[in-house]
Amino acid sequence: MATYRTIQELKKHNGWAKLNVNVLWDKSGKYIFEGEEDIIRKYNDNHPEENRRRLILEVPPEPFWGNPFKADIIILSKNPGYVEHINKWLPTILSPESIREICEEKEKSLRLESDCLMSSIGVKLLSDMYWVNSLKELLSTYQKELNTEDEQGFYKHFALVNTSLIFAPSFKQRPPIEPASLLR
């Protein structure tokens, strides 16, 4: 793994920044880190669709959410999570404007240019409100100390880094493949 001396240098070599997020669900399974297509597809070929160890490639990846370089608090998470009735169904009822807004925010996060963990109600809903509910107590306790008047200002203090970069409904341990580096 390469070593970078500055944030700018690291961002320049960020392979996730190349990923185009224009839909929230794509049956073709296009959301794969460049250069890892063969090993990921080979792994999934050995796991039928109903297998809970199959990697979910139909949704945009979330190696980080928000901006770890701007956040005061970085949350390390095991994986991005996947809830089929939310991740697959919700994009079918959202307005084109909401989808575009969420896709833009996901791309900003992948480029390490986001300003906020929870940028919109659409992002909150797509995450099944997991982080909203998980951070609720912190919000009520520390909102004043973080000098934020609203919930949105509170979320600007947070970023999320997923230690497993691929979606899989149930992994008690890492998949038996090497996931992409956070940054290449």
Side-chain angles (χ1 to χ4, degrees):
M1 183 178 220
T3 302
Y4 303 105
R5 294 178 208 172
T6 66
I7 292 172
Q8 291 76 21
E9 186 179 349
L10 187 138
K11 286 174 74 172
K12 178 182 173 185
H13 296 284
N14 174 8
W16 290 109
K18 299 174 187 174
L19 196 61
N20 183 16
V21 179
N22 52 11
V23 294
L24 298 175
W25 176 268
D26 186 327
K27 183 60 181 158
S28 71
K30 72 177 191 171
Y31 291 118
I32 302 175
F33 193 88
E34 186 178 286
E36 295 189 346
E37 295 89 349
D38 291 342
I39 194 165
I40 298 289
R41 298 236 187 255
K42 184 178 179 180
Y43 176 84
N44 267 1
D45 286 347
N46 290 321
H47 295 83
E49 270 192 53
E50 62 278 358
N51 188 309
R52 293 189 49 84
R53 288 186 176 256
R54 182 177 181 82
L55 304 175
I56 308 299
L57 307 172
E58 294 83 5
V59 296
E62 293 178 353
F64 14 81
W65 192 6
N67 188 333
F69 298 122
K70 292 182 178 179
D72 298 316
I73 301 165
I74 297 173
I75 302 166
L76 297 178
S77 180
K78 199 167 160 183
N79 70 46
Y82 175 76
V83 181
E84 185 167 346
H85 73 276
I86 298 294
N87 294 105
K88 189 174 181 178
W89 170 78
L90 189 61
T92 67
I93 64 165
L94 290 173
S95 71
E97 182 180 310
S98 293
I99 291 172
R100 187 176 58 253
E101 180 182 288
I102 295 168
C103 288
E104 287 173 3
E105 186 57 36
K106 286 186 174 289
E107 279 190 351
K108 283 172 43 178
S109 283
L110 290 170
R111 291 189 313 261
L112 296 164
E113 296 174 353
S114 178
D115 289 323
C116 189
L117 177 63
M118 295 287 177
S119 59
S120 69
I121 188 63
V123 170
K124 292 174 185 176
L125 290 173
L126 199 58
S127 70
D128 197 26
M129 301 296 280
Y130 179 82
W131 288 108
V132 171
N133 292 329
S134 296
L135 296 173
K136 192 183 307 183
E137 190 174 322
L138 280 176
L139 174 64
S140 65
T141 305
Y142 294 105
Q143 187 171 8
K144 288 180 182 152
E145 288 180 36
L146 291 172
N147 198 24
T148 59
E149 295 294 322
D150 60 2
E151 189 176 314
Q152 195 70 14
F154 173 77
Y155 290 121
K156 288 183 179 193
H157 292 275
F158 292 87
L160 182 75
V161 175
N162 287 301
T163 58
S164 177
L165 308 177
I166 46 184
F167 287 88
S170 69
F171 271 118
K172 303 237 185 303
Q173 58 188 24
R174 279 180 110 162
I177 59 172
E178 279 298 313
S181 304
L182 281 177
L183 299 168
R184 298 238 174 169

